[in-house]
Structures are given as C-alpha cells and as structure tokens.
Amino acid sequence: TPGLSAILGLSEHVNISIIKSDEPRVTVILQKYDPTDFKGDLTLYLAPIISDPFFKARWSFQLGTSVQSSAPPKYRECQEKAALSLFQACGGKRQSRTMRLTLNRWSPFQEHEVFIRRHEKRNKADKALFPPVTVKITITTEDRVYPVIWSVRKSGTLPGSIHIDS
C-alpha cells in the first residue's frame, strides 16, 4: 500500500490478524470467538503507521473515537519492531493517530477508509505530485462467519436458549 508502512491493531477480547495487500487495502480478520464470553460491544484499536513524515493519515468515519497519544494501547508490534517506537501509537512523538472502534460482537463486519496525504503546509505543486491515497479497511471474521455460529458450534445451543432434557 503506497505510503502506509503498517497498520497496528489490537482488540480487548479477540485475537486479530491484519493483512495488507498490494492494492491500497487492509483486511482486519477477527479470529474465532464466542460472543457470549464477554458483555457489551467489541473494541478494536487501529493505528496507521506512515514512515514518510511529510504524509499523514485521516480516517473517513465518525464511528470511532481518537485515542489520546499519552495513553496508547499496548500493541505487540511495538515491542517486536524497535523502529515503531518513534510513533505515538508506540509511545513516540511522530503522529500515528489511533482510533478506537466499537463493533457489534454479534455482527462485527465494517468497511472504512483511511486517506493518506501530504501535510497541508506543503505547496500546491507538491500536492499535485502526491495526490491523496485512499486505503480501504475491511473488518471481517475468519471465513466471514457470524460469531453466533462459533458459539453454537462450541456449546451446541443457541445463546440464551433453554435446555430441555428428554
């Protein structure tokens, strides 16, 4: 993905994997989980990392809330890759705006976009040479299965159903 070096992701309840493709697209895959194992919504944190300091990312949605850079989530990648310590998402100074998304734990599928563009302080000629890049973000589950199916497979019953012994 042009301009996007990495995207960090973390969920409080679910293991995730992030797949970045050659086209400007990122897929966040929520691994199998039982939505009855926790209460409330599913929280997902995402932070785009852009290595070129002359570019910045802007999210296209209002469904999430920005996380203060003084209290970023503890991304595993921050410990694994020392270069990420430069970015706010890993406790550094360089901009990397973390967004907190609230997902429906029963149906977490969402589509979003991140726009990567030159800083406003650059002149118009620079902007013409470097048009904004739109990166599509798809949030899905493993095999696109609704989590209630995993719950049924695990327990053998629908969540909240009554067990009748014969």
Side-chain angles (χ1 to χ4, degrees), residues 7-11 16 18 26 28 44-49 59 61 65 67 73 75 89 96-101 112 114 137-139:
I7 187 159
L8 305 180
L10 176 73
S11 173
I16 65 170
I18 297 177
V26 172
V28 178
L44 178 67
Y45 296 92
L46 295 175
I49 302 295
W59 291 95
F61 55 86
T65 55
V67 175
Y75 296 108
S96 59
R97 191 169 172 192
T98 294
M99 292 300 287
R100 181 178 57 228
L101 299 175
H112 300 289
V114 172
I137 308 283
T138 301
I139 300 169

Side-chain angles (χ1 to χ4, degrees), residues 41-164:
D41 292 318
L42 181 62
T43 302
L44 178 67
Y45 296 92
L46 295 175
I49 302 295
I50 302 168
S51 58
D52 189 329
F54 296 112
F55 287 80
K56 65 180 179 178
R58 183 176 60 83
W59 291 95
S60 66
F61 55 86
Q62 298 300 320
L63 299 174
T65 55
S66 183
V67 175
Q68 295 296 325
S69 59
S70 61
K74 304 287 186 228
Y75 296 108
R76 182 188 76 243
E77 296 91 344
C78 293
Q79 278 78 43
E80 294 173 355
K81 298 177 183 171
L84 292 175
S85 65
L86 297 170
F87 298 91
Q88 289 172 344
C90 293
K93 301 283 186 206
R94 291 228 348 240
Q95 183 183 23
S96 59
R97 191 169 172 192
T98 294
M99 292 300 287
R100 181 178 57 228
L101 299 175
T102 301
L103 308 175
N104 179 327
R105 64 185 162 143
W106 301 99
S107 180
F109 308 100
Q110 291 187 8
E111 295 275 337
H112 300 289
E113 293 178 331
V114 172
F115 302 105
I116 300 173
R117 58 188 171 87
R118 295 280 287 184
H119 282 289
E120 296 295 331
K121 297 174 187 169
R122 296 315 223 180
N123 63 39
K124 289 182 182 183
D126 269 357
K127 287 183 183 179
L129 289 172
F130 302 102
V133 173
T134 302
V135 179
K136 302 218 180 276
I137 308 283
T138 301
I139 300 169
T140 188
T141 61
E142 193 174 326
D143 300 326
R144 293 205 47 83
V145 172
Y146 280 89
V148 70
I149 301 299
W150 295 325
S151 179
V152 169
R153 288 177 183 162
K154 177 181 151 188
S155 67
T157 61
L158 286 172
S161 64
I162 300 172
H163 299 278
I164 301 174

